[in-house]
Amino acid sequence: QVQLVESGGGSVQAGGSLRLSCAATAVTVGNSVVGWFRQAPGKEREGVATINGFGTTKYADSVKGRFTASRDSAKNTLYLQMSNLKPEDTAVYYCAASSFQRWRTSGLFADEYDYWGQGTQVAVSS
């Protein structure tokens, strides 16, 4: 049974940093499309970052230059390093994994993913 478990969320002031982790079981993050999404209250879930099975990354324009997605194949874990955080980054963050190695669309659409974590809250105060 596939499980994705996020950790590392919390509360920070604007300009601060956080690193989210996502430990995976029963899916090999190193060979699959994986991604990070977020959902703020009253808003739709949006794609933040994705890595395909070949190691190529993509980011939403809103986080480019501030967020870095990575993975550790030995630990079967995804990471999202978030720097220069802004109040508008406040949301529940989810990791996701696909059964595929290649992006079927852009990699930043939720429909592309088969497995989801339970989410971790990130709150950024001004």
Side-chain angles (χ1 to χ4, degrees), residues 100-114:
F100 293 83
Q101 194 175 29
R102 299 176 184 272
W103 292 309
R104 287 175 284 175
T105 58
S106 73
L108 295 176
F109 290 110
D111 288 350
E112 186 157 350
Y113 293 85
D114 304 297

Side-chain angles (χ1 to χ4, degrees), residues 37-113:
F37 288 74
R38 65 186 181 186
Q39 188 165 18
K43 295 189 176 181
E44 293 196 357
R45 191 170 296 192
E46 65 167 336
V48 172
T50 178
I51 310 176
N52 69 12
F54 306 99
T56 303
T57 55
K58 286 184 188 178
Y59 298 93
D61 287 344
S62 58
V63 306
K64 277 181 184 175
R66 301 189 298 120
F67 290 12
T68 302
S70 61
R71 59 190 175 194
D72 184 328
S73 296
K75 295 182 179 179
N76 210 31
T77 299
L78 315 176
Y79 301 98
L80 185 67
Q81 178 67 48
M82 305 184 293
S83 302
N84 191 21
L85 283 160
K86 303 176 180 180
E88 52 263 43
D89 294 319
T90 296
V92 177
Y93 283 71
Y94 300 88
C95 63
S98 165
S99 302
F100 293 83
Q101 194 175 29
R102 299 176 184 272
W103 292 309
R104 287 175 284 175
T105 58
S106 73
L108 295 176
F109 290 110
D111 288 350
E112 186 157 350
Y113 293 85

